[in-house]
Amino acid sequence: MRLDMPASPAAAPALETRGLAKSLGGIPIARGIDFRLETGERRALIGPNGAGKTSFINLVTGHLAPSSGRIWVGGEDVTALPPEARVKRGIGRTFQINTLFAALSVLENVLLPLSERRGIAGRMFRAAAADAGLAEEGWALLERLGLAEDAARPVRELPYGRQRLVEIAIAIALRPKVLLLDEPAAGVPSAEAGIIIETIAGLPRDIAVLIVEHDMDLVFRVARRITVLVQGAVLVEGTPSEIAADPRVRAVYLGEAAAS
């Protein structure tokens, strides 16, 4: 299949890249990445520090422009679209460091993306918050993620693990086809990490999820397939058991000698 020919809509994956490449300051951070994420799939992207995992996410979301290669969402070529247009095509993401409005309540944080999706974000916020349908959808989303009891609390008062849940709620509020979770457990105390795992496992099955994560417990409990990235290139893909048994992965990612 030619690089510029997408799959037919019926056969199109949720997300696909072909030949995706990028260099910064003459240093390659993506080397011809071919990647395919099916509708509803749960995939993890792992690799050592500096492997290019977050750079790949930034290329997919439009925060970096590729030097070459193409990106499709649901069969539509989004390579030339800016980040906000890609969100409207169905790409949602979280960040390594949360980007919440700390002074606003949990519900208010969720109402903002709901307002944006419904095209009423330009109205005064209080008017948007008074929209009964909007508030009902916001409450339903918080209940689904176990956040309803915190709805009225300012985000800054929440434990960090629950703040990460709010960020996931915001991403889901935009009804993405593809949800990119960039280290969702980063900075979360181990006692709260289980909540993150349960939340990801319980996400709607029509959303394809790609998790970039160093926490191997989270990866192996949530992902059904794993892609290993090394120096900006795909080293290997497979099931969790296949990846765990691969000596190349142990050598470059798990820090073990290849002969061990």
Side-chain angles (χ1 to χ4, degrees):
M1 183 179 293
R2 294 207 325 264
L3 184 65
D4 59 345
M5 290 185 65
S8 64
L15 172 67
E16 184 174 11
T17 72
R18 299 185 205 153
L20 199 62
K22 178 68 176 180
S23 294
L24 291 176
I27 300 175
I29 60 172
R31 302 170 183 260
I33 297 175
D34 293 334
F35 181 83
R36 184 180 175 104
L37 183 70
E38 302 295 343
T39 300
E41 185 179 355
R42 300 297 188 257
R43 176 82 68 100
L45 181 66
I46 68 173
N49 289 332
K53 302 182 297 296
T54 295
S55 295
F56 176 72
I57 297 298
N58 287 335
L59 287 165
V60 168
T61 56
H63 291 87
L64 280 177
S67 304
S68 60
R70 313 291 286 186
I71 304 164
W72 286 271
V73 175
E76 180 181 0
D77 190 336
V78 300
T79 310
L81 297 182
E84 59 273 15
R86 298 190 196 194
V87 170
K88 293 183 183 300
R89 298 306 192 278
I91 294 181
R93 76 171 292 183
T94 64
F95 294 82
Q96 290 181 14
I97 300 173
N98 76 49
T99 54
L100 302 171
F101 292 94
L104 296 182
S105 72
V106 171
L107 180 59
E108 288 170 334
N109 268 270
V110 171
L111 289 179
L112 290 172
L114 290 177
S115 300
E116 177 67 29
R117 198 194 76 224
R118 292 191 180 196
I120 60 174
R123 289 165 42 181
M124 293 295 292
F125 181 75
R126 290 187 181 278
D131 185 305
L134 198 70
E136 183 177 347
E137 185 177 355
W139 272 103
L141 179 55
L142 295 183
E143 287 177 345
R144 184 194 310 168
L145 297 185
L147 288 167
E149 64 185 41
D150 296 318
R153 293 180 65 185
V155 164
R156 64 187 171 207
E157 294 181 2
L158 298 184
Y160 192 69
R162 295 189 73 75
Q163 290 187 27
R164 300 295 286 189
L165 290 181
V166 175
E167 192 175 16
I168 293 173
I170 288 172
I172 295 174
L174 294 169
R175 292 186 180 173
K177 299 173 184 175
V178 178
L179 180 57
L180 309 172
L181 302 177
D182 196 353
E183 298 196 30
V188 177
S190 57
E192 300 175 9
I195 300 174
I196 302 292
I197 293 173
E198 291 175 6
T199 298
I200 296 172
L203 289 173
R205 298 308 304 178
D206 59 340
I207 300 176
V209 180
L210 178 63
I211 307 159
V212 175
E213 186 54 69
H214 287 289
D215 185 330
M216 288 296 98
D217 181 55
L218 187 155
V219 167
F220 281 89
R221 288 176 62 181
V222 174
R224 295 297 174 264
R225 289 188 65 80
I226 298 173
T227 298
V228 183
L229 202 65
V230 176
Q231 296 182 345
V234 174
L235 174 69
V236 64
E237 294 182 328
T239 65
S241 59
E242 290 169 341
I243 296 301
D246 194 306
R248 295 169 297 174
V249 177
R250 294 200 302 270
V252 303
Y253 185 78
L254 300 179
E256 299 180 12
S260 64

